Amino acid sequence: MPVPPSSSPSAASPLEAERAHLAASRAALRAMRTETEALNIADVTANWVNAEVLAAEIEARIASLADLAGTPLFFGRLDFEHAIDEDGEHGRRFYIGRRHVHDGDGDPMVIDWRAPVSQAFYRATKADPQDVALRRRFGYDGGDLTAYEDEHLTDPAEGERASALLQREIERPRVGPMRDIVATIQPEQDELVRAPLSGTVCVQGAPGTGKTAVGLHRVAYLLYAHRERLARAGTLVIGPNSSFLRYIEQVLPTLGELEVRQTTVQDLVGRVEVRGTDTAEAAAVKGDARMAAVLRRAVWSGVRMPDEGVVVVRGSRRWRVAAERVAELVRELMERDIRYGAAREALPQRIAHLVLVQMEQAGEAPDDRVQNAVARTPAVKAAVKAALPPVDPAKLVLRLLTDAAFLAEQADGVLDADERRALLWDRAPRSVKSAPWSAADAVLVDEAHDLVERTPSLGHVVLDEAQDLSPMQYRAVGRRCSTGSATILGDIAQGTTPWATDSWAAALTHLGKPDGRVEELTQGFRVPRSVIAYASRLLPSIAPDLSEATSVRDAAGAFGIRQVAGVGDVVAACREFLEREGSVGLIAADTRAPALEQALKEAGLPCLTPGEETTSGARLTLVPASLAKGLEYDWVVLDEPAAVVAGEPDRRTGLRRLYVCLTRAVSGLTVTHAEPLPEELD
């Protein structure tokens, strides 16, 4: 059990010693920041550009050394049986925290949780102590150290037992944005966090297994272990919507990583302004991987084999390249399967090379400068433009969506007549800018753009809620990590889009990472056992191949079903939860949210919208079911499950949406209903 402050010397002395080390560590961190702020770089750089870069790096370093008063500087301690180094240079005791802190002599006072020596804090067990004699966990109230708990891993007299402090940290009330789990990472999670950068990892995680936190902590770990490489190549976190991104945006900064970009798929492919929507049928066709073949055909459809040769005038001489020879060059480039833009860049150089061969045969000695000059001549430029005319990706997609004959030609043998009809717009817009582009259209434009010009690749991409992406969206994400790696996070049982994936193997193939390994997390830490057991009744209908999730937590009285007469009873259920500590989420079908908002207002209960939790101290959030994915609240009232199911285009998708909504609670869930519950929950 945790050891709290007391008047007993046996209890107080170790605790006071730990508090003294915390105070000394905070003082050392302040000294590190002060030392960095005092750096004078006036005469250490060769030019103003280097000075600006160095100044920016110092500013980032200063920001990373901030002491967050309400955040524990360290959360654990390891006492090893032996010194880490054989020569005894590194000692046996290490404090594990969110960042590295050293004293004035450079000796570590806190070790970064990502350092190799810290791994034992998460993975050592009685069966495999990894040379750890003592593992100590610390309990905090805000930034004040209030308790500690010891595990003697090499003591045979001490049995295996659950950590009360670990349990308390998991159950600590959630008000505001998502927080890190750095103090509570479990062994199976730590293995995923520390997986090598070179490989792509796909995490199939049941609700409450911490897959989102694993992905974010993996980013922080990779930036620690491969900072130089990833600083050059870049990292990216992709979430399902802006509300979700606002919810998770503080996790990486609390871990000391301030520069990681976070975005949505829609913003990622934002080459055109999205202002329209698709029918379910059109969206399904546009998201199908076959559209990549249609677009490839369309991009190359304008190629024309030349009828006339190219004549280049150099001084008093004329050099001619026959039309047949230029056509051979075009065909060779097409067979190489390179990007269209690369072919347009290569063709003038190849034509120029043939001219140089003729010059050499005539006794001249041209060099590379002559070849470049020939490639830029009007005759060569005109020949290239005629054979490989410029392609504007947005205009090309617009033509596919508005020109039935052009679409039929490019989709012949790929899409059937009904699918082509679903793609076509009722009328053509006046311009690309005025077009009513949908989110799926923007992905098509992005694909076409990549067919013309290669999309730059990042070093690592984390994709959360990945089960909801279409094959074409997977391709768009895959382009951003074509030479890097990815961490894919999701739960097939929570897929709620018309194109939601039923197979991670297929998803990884679309992503361009068919060799990625799939790992499954089934042990939950967030959702109480009674709640996840109830929600799992839906699994046979929504994801029969998945293992049923379990939970390490069993909160007494955490779950209840209440038949109600109207919205007044739903408001009363919210009020009951507001009498307890922690956040409260009222989740309802999108169509019922306005009426519930009005009822809450009339009852004098102010409510937030998802994402506002990061900027307000209010505790009640009204969550439309369509935005519930990825969010969590201490207490949840789920209004009218049947309406949640009915709000989706088909029953399986509706049941999947209901599964998401049922699994957002950390401490307790009350299901309220006036209509009969879905039969799958019986």
Side-chain angles (χ1 to χ4, degrees), residues 99-266:
R99 57 154 303 106
H100 174 84
V101 179
H102 60 254
D103 62 17
D105 296 325
D107 294 326
M109 301 190 70
V110 180
I111 298 292
D112 195 302
W113 67 275
R114 298 167 287 187
V117 71
S118 302
Q119 180 173 303
F121 182 77
Y122 301 107
R123 300 197 194 180
T125 63
K126 295 284 287 187
D128 179 21
Q130 300 184 22
D131 200 43
V132 176
L134 171 73
R135 174 167 53 203
R136 175 169 288 180
R137 300 181 189 274
F138 296 105
Y140 285 84
D141 182 5
D144 298 326
L145 198 160
T146 58
Y148 68 87
E149 179 183 70
D150 288 345
E151 297 173 82
H152 298 88
L153 299 183
T154 56
D155 183 357
E158 183 179 293
E160 197 84 55
R161 56 185 172 80
S163 167
L165 280 180
L166 189 65
Q167 185 86 355
R168 192 173 78 182
E169 173 64 20
I170 292 172
E171 296 178 351
R172 182 159 55 92
R174 286 156 166 74
V175 178
M178 180 181 180
R179 57 177 182 259
D180 65 61
I181 63 164
V182 67
T184 62
I185 294 173
Q186 299 300 294
E188 63 272 24
Q189 295 174 325
D190 190 63
E191 289 182 12
L192 296 172
V193 167
R194 297 175 193 263
L197 172 63
S198 57
T200 288
V201 179
C202 177
V203 182
Q204 158 62 42
T209 54
K211 56 185 177 294
T212 295
V214 164
L216 294 173
H217 287 68
R218 176 157 167 72
V219 171
Y221 170 76
L222 292 176
L223 286 169
Y224 174 89
H226 308 278
R227 189 166 300 280
E228 268 192 44
R229 178 176 171 184
L230 291 180
R232 293 193 305 269
T235 54
L236 180 67
V237 174
I238 304 173
N241 52 59
S242 57
S243 296
F244 177 82
L245 292 180
R246 286 195 297 271
Y247 177 62
I248 69 170
E249 66 184 355
Q250 294 304 315
V251 174
L252 286 169
T254 61
L255 297 174
E257 300 302 338
L258 307 174
E259 302 298 326
V260 179
R261 181 185 166 208
Q262 301 181 17
T263 189
T264 63
V265 172
Q266 183 169 323

Side-chain angles (χ1 to χ4, degrees), residues 266-551:
Q266 183 169 323
D267 290 338
L268 190 69
V269 300
R271 301 182 187 277
V272 292
E273 184 180 352
V274 173
R275 57 166 67 93
T277 57
D278 285 314
T279 64
E281 184 183 7
V285 177
K286 290 176 181 179
D288 195 297
R290 293 174 297 161
M291 286 301 300
V294 175
L295 288 166
R296 178 172 290 279
R297 283 186 187 176
V299 166
W300 290 89
S301 65
V303 175
R304 298 291 179 265
M305 296 302 169
D307 296 326
E308 299 179 357
V310 180
V311 178
V312 176
V313 178
R314 293 281 297 173
S316 61
R317 303 202 61 174
R318 291 171 172 262
W319 309 95
R320 187 175 186 280
V321 180
E324 296 80 6
R325 194 70 184 92
V326 176
E328 287 178 15
L329 296 177
V330 173
R331 281 191 289 269
E332 288 173 4
L333 290 170
M334 293 177 68
E335 290 170 0
R336 285 184 58 195
D337 196 30
I338 63 175
R339 283 169 172 77
Y340 189 81
R344 295 192 80 244
E345 292 177 359
L347 183 57
Q349 290 291 333
R350 295 197 171 199
I351 294 173
H353 176 71
L354 294 181
V355 172
L356 260 67
V357 170
Q358 295 181 44
M359 289 181 177
E360 291 171 347
Q361 292 172 345
E364 297 188 15
D367 56 18
D368 290 345
R369 290 175 298 176
V370 175
Q371 178 168 330
N372 290 333
V374 171
R376 294 194 299 267
T377 58
V380 173
K381 287 183 176 180
V384 172
K385 185 176 182 179
L388 300 172
V391 172
D392 182 303
K395 289 181 179 178
L396 181 80
V397 174
L398 184 60
R399 185 182 176 193
L400 278 174
L401 299 176
T402 57
D403 186 334
F406 183 63
L407 175 61
E409 181 182 357
Q410 308 312 319
D412 184 36
V414 181
L415 303 178
D416 62 32
D418 289 338
E419 290 171 324
R420 296 198 299 271
R421 276 193 292 271
L423 289 180
L424 288 169
W425 291 353
D426 294 334
R427 55 192 178 90
R430 287 176 295 180
S431 67
V432 168
K433 287 187 176 181
S434 65
W437 299 108
S438 68
D441 295 332
V443 178
L444 298 182
V445 174
D446 189 73
E447 177 86 22
H449 192 280
D450 185 73
L451 289 167
V452 175
E453 182 180 339
R454 180 183 295 275
T455 304
S457 174
L458 297 163
H460 194 79
V461 170
V462 173
L463 174 63
D464 204 353
E465 300 296 350
Q467 74 280 344
D468 280 332
L469 268 63
S470 70
M472 292 300 287
Q473 288 175 318
Y474 280 123
R475 290 175 61 88
V477 173
R479 288 192 282 277
R480 272 72 183 182
C481 56
S482 58
T483 60
S485 56
T487 300
I488 311 304
L489 312 166
D491 180 9
I492 286 175
Q494 297 185 57
T496 52
T497 56
W499 46 75
T501 187
D502 287 320
S503 164
W504 288 123
L508 288 168
T509 299
H510 294 311
L511 194 76
K513 306 292 183 184
D515 297 330
R517 65 185 178 101
V518 180
E519 300 287 345
E520 188 171 5
L521 294 176
T522 59
Q523 188 175 56
F525 306 95
R526 172 174 57 80
V527 184
R529 191 175 304 154
S530 55
V531 174
I532 196 65
Y534 184 70
S536 293
R537 296 181 183 184
L538 300 174
L539 284 178
S541 301
I542 61 176
D545 295 332
L546 291 184
S547 303
E548 183 173 334
T550 60
S551 178

Side-chain angles (χ1 to χ4, degrees), residues 11 48 50 88 96-97 127 284 347 392 395 451 466 472 534 592-593 608 613 624 630 667 669:
W48 70 270
N50 291 343
I96 312 302
L347 183 57
D392 182 303
K395 289 181 179 178
L451 289 167
M472 292 300 287
Y534 184 70
R592 290 180 57 82
L608 308 169
E613 299 96 335
S667 297
L669 168 69

Side-chain angles (χ1 to χ4, degrees), residues 526-601:
R526 172 174 57 80
V527 184
R529 191 175 304 154
S530 55
V531 174
I532 196 65
Y534 184 70
S536 293
R537 296 181 183 184
L538 300 174
L539 284 178
S541 301
I542 61 176
D545 295 332
L546 291 184
S547 303
E548 183 173 334
T550 60
S551 178
V552 299
R553 300 174 53 234
D554 193 8
F559 174 64
I561 301 173
R562 184 180 304 178
Q563 190 159 7
V564 298
V567 293
D569 292 339
V570 178
V571 171
C574 294
R575 194 184 296 278
E576 291 173 20
F577 278 148
L578 285 170
E579 293 174 357
R580 310 185 188 189
E581 187 181 8
S583 59
V584 180
L586 170 56
I587 305 177
D590 291 30
T591 54
R592 290 180 57 82
L596 289 168
E597 183 177 14
Q598 181 63 30
L600 291 171
K601 183 178 180 180

